[in-house]
């Protein structure tokens, strides 16, 4: 029964019912799996306290700054009032605050201070995982900054000051880096796409001339970029062997660009919080970082880091939408009861939760392996697994994030589609995660590359690691273990035939193979986590649920003939039917 002192709507134009909003609560204290994972692997009070405090800062300060970045996107001022080129990128104060906070909180530094030894990357990435969905895409420059620091470190610190600035906690000294690889001819095919040339100067530096088609967070202090060194006659070497890696400062102390004209800022579906520009390099002064012709191989270290960051952002987006979705279900009442009391709605959330948990454990495993590699603790198997799982995690979670966030938005009904709830931005920003840093197909081919370059040792590492993880499982997990064992043997059979396949057929199978590796490994990690003595019933349930899916799609693809020559023809006829010549 309702009692009104007057009729609803009589004095007010908008009625009396207002839906309570879903509150962002401390993303660390609310995250049972993250807490469980750290209890198991890094049970330090110091870590606990830092992440709790940081989670609080995300809620009370950072989330609002992230929204401000979305509402005040960057602008380009190409000229001053008198017609002089100024090439200024104007960003909002919140974006600058994000830079300061990132330094203070050591969001890059923690990876290099190595305070927690081989667990330092797990600690750093846990923090970034809490930060990313509220960061207004500041997670992007941090990814590239981390990648640049890694490259510089791995090349023996040729530019010590830059390394020190990229990894400092001092906000006044902190630098970020860009990663300019993509040109108009190709972002995936860098070896053929790179047209930028580098002319050697008398002092040993270079000047770069070319056009960079996508440069994100262009307000960065320095950048790593690729170019072809010209010989005395101005000629360059085509292909990958002609590409070298350079480092350049983007601005001088007066804020003028270093031989760069900013052509325009891109108008993007998402990631609107940060500038992404097209740049004409017109004599940009740069320093050669790699050996001549080793540019692609040398930037691979950066790609490893940025792909891991991409994975962290993808999983973080899934976790954010599931946290907000379940929160909302305790506040929204429909058909006479709260959403949380509608089992079908809870089943929907539960499916998202399983996806998020599997993705989380894969992300953490890659971070753990990275930390081990960087502290000399990695076994040969760890190194192979890191090489394999980096592209696998990036390609799988990038896609998964879009699906989970999209379903997650639906959990808010119409409100999920409303801009100023902040929810739609999560979906927009997730869509890029499968495109940049290597598209799904390009990374699937990178998985093949990692396998073939190691003469099968990468796969051996994978099989033995999965088997080891399944060995410790208790009886409650038996159906999951059986499903994974049968998938493993299906995968092994597929791989046995791989050597005799034409390369086109292998390429056709690459995506399904990468998905199979991802799903099997995620299953093994879920089983492993659920077998830990501190595991809970939901941990076991998540493992069982995950393994009920088809975790090895490459086997079903093979049975259906997806990778045969006739499939190539049929796919082509299907796709191009009706296309006018
Ligand atoms: O998109 C970008 C920035 C976005 C903003 C940052 C966001 C970060 C996340 C934030 C979250 C919010 S930057 C652009 C990213 N671009 C790409 O990822 C390029 C995609 N294309 C590829 O990945 C290709 O596979 C290439 C370009 C890396 C290689 O193609 P090729 O030319 O066919 O390569 P090759 O000839 O097979 O390889 C050349 C060398 C080989 O070494 P050597 O010469 O010793 O045999 C390869 O083994 O590079 C080595 N290599 C690798 N090494 C290639 N890929 C790798 C790898 N992944 N790891 C180790
Ligand atoms: P293409 O290579 O033309 O790909 C087109 C399609 O072909 C894709 O679906 C791809 O999967 C498929 N494909 C390509 N090769 C193969 C193959 N061999 N087999 C099967 N399929 C294939 N780049 C930078 O260097 N620095 C940046 O800071 C940066 N920021 C970005 C920001 C945003 C918002 C976006 C959207 C992009 C950014 N990029 C940046 C560029 C990005 O890395 C490239 O767009 C991406 O790598 C793909 O390259 P491409 O656009 O040339 O696509």
């Amino acid at each position: 029964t309702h009692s009104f002192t007057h009729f609803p709507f009589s004095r007010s134009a908008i009625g009396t019912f207002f839906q309570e909003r879903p509150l962002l609560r401390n993303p660390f204290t609310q995250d049972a799996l993250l807490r469980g994972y750290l209890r198991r692997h890094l049970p330090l009070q110091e870590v606990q306290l830092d992440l709790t405090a940081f989670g609080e800062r995300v809620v009370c300060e950072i989330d609002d700054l992230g929204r401000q970045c979305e509402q005040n996107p960057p602008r380009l001022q190409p000229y001053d009032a008198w017609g002089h080129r100024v090439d200024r990128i104007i960003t909002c104060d919140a974006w600058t605050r994000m830079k300061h906070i990132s330094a203070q909180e050591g969001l890059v530094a923690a990876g290099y201070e190595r305070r927690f030894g081989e667990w330092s990357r797990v600690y750093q990435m846990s923090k970034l995982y809490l930060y990313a969905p509220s960061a207004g895409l500041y997670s992007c420059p941090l990814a590239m900054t981390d990648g640049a620091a890694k490259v510089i470190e791995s090349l023996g610190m040729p530019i010590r000051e830059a390394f020190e600035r990229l990894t400092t906690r001092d906000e006044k000294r902190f630098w970020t880096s860009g990663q300019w690889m993509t040109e108009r001819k190709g972002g995936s095919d860098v070896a053929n796409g790179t047209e930028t040339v580098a002319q050697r100067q008398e002092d040993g530096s270079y000047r770069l001339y070319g056009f960079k088609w996508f440069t994100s967070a262009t307000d960065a202090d320095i950048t790593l970029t690729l170019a072809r060194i010209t010989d005395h006659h101005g000629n360059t070497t085509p292909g990958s062997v002609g590409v070298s890696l350079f480092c350049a400062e983007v601005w001088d102390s007066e804020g003028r660009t270093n031989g760069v004209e900013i052509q325009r800022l891109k108008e993007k579906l998402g990631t609107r919080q940060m500038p992404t520009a097209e740049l004409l390099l017109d004599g940009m002064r740069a320093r050669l970082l790699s050996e001549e012709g080793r540019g692609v191989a040398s930037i691979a270290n950066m790609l490893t880091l940025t792909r891991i960051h991409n994975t962290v952002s993808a999983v973080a987006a899934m976790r954010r939408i599931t946290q907000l979705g379940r929160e909302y279900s305790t506040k929204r009442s429909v058909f006479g009861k709260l959403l949380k009391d509608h089992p079908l709605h809870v089943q929907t959330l539960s499916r998202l939760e399983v996806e998020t948990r599997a993705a989380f454990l894969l992300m953490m495993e890659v971070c753990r392996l990275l930390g081990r590699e960087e502290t000399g603790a990695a076994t040969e198997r760890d190194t192979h697994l890191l090489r394999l799982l980096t592209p696998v995690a990036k390609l799988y979670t990038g896609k998964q994030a879009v699906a989970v966030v999209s379903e997650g938005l639906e959990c808010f009904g119409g409100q999920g589609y409303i801009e100023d709830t902040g929810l739609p931005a999560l979906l927009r920003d997730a869509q890029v995660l499968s495109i940049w840093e290597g598209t799904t197909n390009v990374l699937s081919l990178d998985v093949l590359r990692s396998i073939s370059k190691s003469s099968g040792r990468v796969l051996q590492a994978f099989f033995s690691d999965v088997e080891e993880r399944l060995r410790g499982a208790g009886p409650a997990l038996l159906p999951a273990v059986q499903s994974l064992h049968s998938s493993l043997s299906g995968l092994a059979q597929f791989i046995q035939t791989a050597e005799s396949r034409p390369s086109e057929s292998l390429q056709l199978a690459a995506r399904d193979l990468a998905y199979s590796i991802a799903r099997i490994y995620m299953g093994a990690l879920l089983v492993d986590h659920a077998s830990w003595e501190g595991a809970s019933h939901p941990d076991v349930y998540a493992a069982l649920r995950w393994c009920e899916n088809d975790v090895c799609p490459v086997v079903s693809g093979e049975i259906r003939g997806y990778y045969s020559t006739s499939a190539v023809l049929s796919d082509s006829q299907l796709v191009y039917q009706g296309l006018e010549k």
Side-chain angles (χ1 to χ4, degrees):
T1 59
H2 301 280
S3 79
F4 296 106
T5 48
H6 53 266
F7 290 112
F9 302 99
S10 66
R11 303 255 159 115
S12 130
I14 53 173
T16 54
F17 173 75
F18 293 95
Q19 176 61 48
E20 215 182 317
R21 66 168 65 194
L23 282 182
L24 174 64
R25 306 215 230 154
N26 186 322
F28 176 64
T29 57
Q30 296 282 301
D31 194 326
L33 184 58
L34 171 59
R35 297 186 63 164
Y37 182 92
L38 294 177
R39 234 186 1 263
R40 181 179 180 192
H41 297 292
L42 186 58
L44 294 180
Q45 205 196 9
E46 182 186 350
V47 170
Q48 184 97 356
L49 289 176
D50 182 65
L51 295 180
T52 306
F54 186 61
E56 218 44 51
R57 194 170 188 189
V58 167
V59 173
C60 300
E61 182 184 0
I62 295 171
D63 195 57
D64 183 52
L65 292 172
R67 290 290 299 148
Q68 287 179 39
C69 292
E70 178 84 25
Q71 286 155 358
N72 303 287
R75 285 187 300 119
L76 173 65
Q77 186 196 356
Y79 298 100
D80 73 5
W82 305 99
H84 302 291
R85 276 207 86 97
V86 288
D87 295 288
R88 201 165 290 147
I89 295 175
I90 301 161
T91 53
C92 66
D93 292 345
W95 182 255
T96 310
R97 283 286 302 141
M98 288 294 193
K99 183 174 185 180
H100 295 165
I101 290 171
S102 304
Q104 290 161 9
E105 296 284 349
L107 294 178
V108 177
Y112 296 86
E113 292 162 351
R114 302 192 179 129
R115 197 173 152 72
F116 303 107
E118 64 181 86
W119 293 98
S120 300
R121 286 294 186 179
V122 163
Y123 162 68
Q124 176 208 5
M125 296 297 178
S126 298
K127 215 162 170 177
L128 269 161
Y129 164 79
L130 302 176
Y131 178 65
S134 294
L137 252 289
Y138 211 79
S139 44
C140 173
L142 295 183
M144 299 189 287
T145 301
D146 203 345
K150 176 82 176 165
V151 169
I152 295 168
E153 189 182 56
S154 66
L155 292 173
M157 306 282 228
I159 36 178
R160 186 168 283 277
E161 190 206 340
F163 177 81
E164 192 270 312
R165 282 178 175 274
L166 297 172
T167 58
T168 182
R169 282 180 185 255
D170 177 353
E171 63 191 51
K172 294 198 194 73
R173 291 183 55 74
F174 182 48
W175 275 359
T176 59
S177 177
Q179 174 186 11
W180 303 351
M181 295 175 66
T182 305
E183 303 196 9
R184 272 189 293 231
K185 267 178 143 181
S188 309
D189 185 3
V190 173
N192 291 308
T194 305
E195 294 183 295
T196 298
V197 295
Q199 280 178 358
R200 194 178 156 87
Q201 307 297 298
E202 280 181 357
D203 63 0
S205 71
Y206 288 79
R207 285 196 181 270
L208 307 188
Y209 299 86
F211 198 97
K212 297 291 171 182
W213 181 232
F214 276 96
T215 64
S216 280
T218 319
D219 59 325
D221 302 280
I222 64 166
T223 190
L224 299 199
T225 191
L226 299 171
R228 292 179 196 280
I229 296 175
T230 54
D231 65 16
H232 302 308
H233 309 290
N235 299 321
T236 56
T237 311
S240 187
V241 289
V243 176
S244 302
L245 176 64
F246 293 84
C247 179
E249 290 188 19
V250 183
W251 318 94
D252 68 14
S253 54
E254 313 280 296
R256 286 181 301 244
T257 65
N258 167 16
V260 177
E261 275 186 15
I262 305 173
Q263 297 294 297
R264 58 173 166 160
L265 296 189
K266 301 274 198 193
E267 295 202 13
K268 297 172 287 180
L269 168 67
T271 71
R272 294 180 193 162
Q273 310 89 326
M274 73 165 177
T276 300
E278 292 168 21
L279 302 178
L280 176 72
L281 311 192
D282 188 5
M284 181 182 217
R285 196 175 277 278
R287 180 184 168 136
L288 179 64
L289 268 194
S290 69
E291 276 173 48
E292 268 190 56
R294 295 295 295 159
V296 176
S298 301
I299 210 165
N301 265 324
M302 184 169 208
L303 295 175
T304 299
L305 258 291
T306 46
R307 286 168 184 174
I308 293 174
H309 277 258
N310 202 88
T311 304
V312 172
S313 283
V315 184
M318 294 184 231
R319 176 50 72 210
R320 175 57 59 84
I321 202 76
T322 52
Q323 280 184 344
L324 290 175
R326 76 172 176 183
E327 158 83 5
Y328 191 62
S329 75
T330 66
K331 296 194 162 152
R332 176 72 171 169
S333 195
V334 297
F335 296 103
K337 54 188 180 185
L338 288 168
L339 283 173
K340 78 176 181 53
D341 298 320
H342 288 274
L344 180 58
H345 187 72
V346 178
Q347 180 199 66
T348 307
L349 289 172
S350 155
R351 287 176 180 173
L352 298 183
E353 182 63 32
V354 172
E355 292 289 325
T356 306
R357 284 181 180 228
F360 172 88
L361 290 175
L362 180 59
M363 165 195 104
M364 274 308 197
E365 184 55 19
V366 179
C367 300
R368 188 184 77 85
L369 291 167
L370 176 67
R372 283 174 68 76
E373 194 210 37
E374 291 178 330
T375 52
T379 60
E380 203 186 317
R381 182 161 94 185
D382 290 337
T383 309
H384 288 314
L385 281 172
L386 178 61
R387 175 67 185 92
L388 175 72
L389 295 177
T390 301
V392 163
K394 192 285 188 183
L395 74 89
Y396 199 83
T397 60
K399 279 281 192 245
Q400 213 180 3
V402 178
V404 168
V405 173
S406 171
E407 181 73 61
L409 289 196
E410 199 177 326
C411 293
F412 298 86
Q415 286 301 93
Y417 205 71
I418 297 307
E419 193 55 46
D420 53 2
T421 60
L423 296 167
L426 278 174
L427 182 60
R428 277 204 297 272
D429 293 344
Q431 184 65 58
V432 81
L433 297 172
S434 64
I435 297 175
W436 66 16
E437 290 304 338
T439 62
T440 311
N441 283 349
V442 166
L443 290 180
S444 301
L445 297 173
D446 188 50
V447 170
L448 284 189
R449 181 193 283 112
S450 78
I451 293 170
S452 66
K453 282 207 106 183
S454 73
S455 326
R457 284 198 297 279
V458 153
L459 278 179
Q460 277 164 21
F462 171 79
F463 277 96
S464 59
D465 193 71
V466 170
E467 271 155 15
E468 209 164 281
R469 286 177 190 281
L470 299 185
R471 234 168 264 149
L477 288 157
L478 194 62
V481 172
Q482 280 170 343
S483 146
L484 291 170
H485 270 140
S486 103
S487 295
L488 268 188
S489 58
L491 183 63
Q493 266 172 16
F494 174 82
I495 287 162
Q496 263 175 9
T497 62
E499 274 169 17
S500 55
R501 279 166 193 274
S503 94
E504 192 178 55
S505 164
L506 257 190
Q507 286 183 26
L508 269 181
R511 191 192 271 235
D512 291 343
L513 177 66
Y515 272 41
S516 303
I517 291 171
R519 287 190 191 158
I520 292 172
Y521 205 73
M522 287 158 132
L525 291 169
L526 284 162
V527 166
D528 184 350
H529 191 72
S531 308
W532 165 54
E533 77 249 15
S536 60
H537 178 67
D539 292 326
V540 174
Y541 184 69
L544 293 172
R545 275 287 141 104
W546 179 263
C547 296
E548 281 156 14
N549 296 320
D550 177 6
V551 290
C552 196
V554 77
V555 168
S556 26
E558 172 79 334
I559 292 166
R560 292 174 188 137
Y562 288 172
Y563 320 127
S564 64
T565 320
S566 65
V568 176
L569 186 63
S570 304
D571 283 345
S572 182
Q573 284 171 343
L574 177 65
V575 171
Y576 297 103
Q577 185 179 29
L579 178 72
E580 284 173 19
K581 292 238 162 74

